[in-house]
Amino acid sequence: MFKSILNLFFPKSCSACDAILLSNEKVICSICRHHIPLTNHHLLTENEAFKKFYGRISVEYASAFLYFHKKGIVQKLIHNLKYKGHEEIGTLLGEWYTEDLKETISSLKADEIIPVPLHPKKFKERGYNQVTTFGKSLAEKLELNYNETILFRKVYSKTQSKKNLLGRTEGIETVFDVHFSEKDHNKHFVIIDDVITTGATLEACGRALLKIPGAKISIICMAMAQS
């Protein structure tokens, strides 16, 4: 009863268009769900996300769930997740994408979900890592371990979205490193992030993880920037 009264005076709105959600809608309204741009990367092994890393780093699999367009639905979702504390968006996208990924991830025999980490200073500023709920949702549904301690960021940097292409790639290979032990050898790590742009951050994370003997990596993101 209290929840109903609360919703009456403070109705929940769609995280993509701000419309009032109906009682059967969760986080995103039905209209936005219908219009959200899906990549369907899971239907093709050598998709555009996978090709992003050709000649750069060896990945077993790569995919993104949605297309990211400026001033589009997905940009609004990622903005609300990343800067407005709406972590439920990550949970929803993880649950949604799991249905597409179950068969692929099972065949890859992946072991752990690894989030792209924030520097401790950035984490303190924001209060959370925007990919945590997405990663934990994937890990739970795909029955994988969620490991947020093995990969860490050594260098504090400004928000990537405020940098140009050169600024995003310059020196990125020195930003990440790993803490590991023998139990981490020969594992298949699935790196997750919010948006693939140049792919430089994910490449740097992958290179760090590949320092581990016998390691393999795959990449899964919420979205991919499309020109």
Side-chain angles (χ1 to χ4, degrees):
M1 183 182 296
F2 176 75
K3 186 176 180 181
S4 298
I5 294 172
L6 191 64
N7 288 337
L8 178 63
F9 290 99
F10 301 98
K12 293 181 179 180
S13 60
C14 173
S15 293
C17 72
D18 297 324
I20 301 301
L21 293 175
L22 301 177
S23 59
N24 63 331
E25 295 175 333
K26 180 182 177 183
V27 184
I28 306 171
C29 72
S30 299
I31 294 174
C32 285
R33 281 188 181 230
H34 179 73
H35 289 98
I36 203 164
L38 303 173
T39 67
N40 289 316
H41 284 169
H42 65 288
L43 300 177
L44 185 64
T45 302
E46 295 199 14
N47 55 59
E48 59 193 315
F50 183 83
K51 292 177 182 178
K52 193 86 170 176
F53 301 95
Y54 275 0
R56 298 169 64 176
I57 191 170
S58 176
V59 299
E60 305 300 311
Y61 175 78
S63 73
F65 184 32
L66 310 169
Y67 281 123
F68 181 101
H69 300 118
K70 288 186 176 181
K71 298 182 180 180
I73 293 173
V74 178
Q75 184 185 39
K76 180 71 177 293
L77 288 174
I78 298 297
H79 180 83
N80 282 335
L81 168 61
K82 193 170 183 176
Y83 301 111
K84 301 296 184 180
H86 292 286
E87 294 186 86
E88 68 277 4
I89 294 171
T91 300
L92 179 69
L93 295 182
E95 292 174 349
W96 195 356
Y97 203 19
T98 297
E99 297 306 312
D100 294 337
L101 293 172
K102 279 182 178 178
E103 187 174 335
T104 299
I105 296 301
S106 177
S107 66
L108 289 171
K109 297 181 179 178
D111 296 293
E112 296 188 338
I113 300 284
I114 311 293
V116 170
L118 297 179
H119 186 273
K121 183 179 178 181
K122 177 71 75 175
F123 186 90
K124 187 176 181 180
E125 290 173 356
R126 186 173 295 162
Y128 62 98
N129 185 335
Q130 71 272 13
V131 300
T132 296
T133 53
F134 178 68
K136 287 184 174 181
S137 181
L138 288 176
E140 179 183 354
K141 300 296 182 180
L142 297 173
E143 299 182 343
L144 301 177
N145 184 43
Y146 182 78
N147 188 336
E148 58 187 352
T149 60
I150 193 169
L151 180 67
F152 66 96
R153 185 185 289 258
K154 299 187 294 181
V155 180
Y156 175 81
S157 60
K158 295 179 180 179
T159 301
Q160 290 282 3
S161 61
K162 295 180 181 178
K163 297 181 181 181
N164 58 25
L165 178 59
L166 178 62
R168 292 184 186 187
T169 58
E170 187 175 5
I172 192 71
E173 68 277 0
T174 64
V175 169
F176 301 96
D177 208 345
V178 285
H179 291 303
F180 68 93
S181 62
E182 190 174 347
K183 67 180 177 61
D184 299 306
H185 292 189
N186 303 307
K187 284 188 175 181
H188 185 169
F189 301 105
V190 180
I191 308 168
I192 61 161
D193 202 5
D194 48 12
V195 182
I196 303 176
T197 50
T198 67
T201 296
L202 290 158
E203 179 185 351
C205 289
R207 290 189 183 281
L209 286 165
L210 288 174
K211 294 178 183 178
I212 303 171
K216 294 189 290 186
I217 59 167
S218 290
I219 292 167
I220 294 174
C221 293
M222 298 182 210
M224 180 175 183
Q226 188 182 41
S227 56

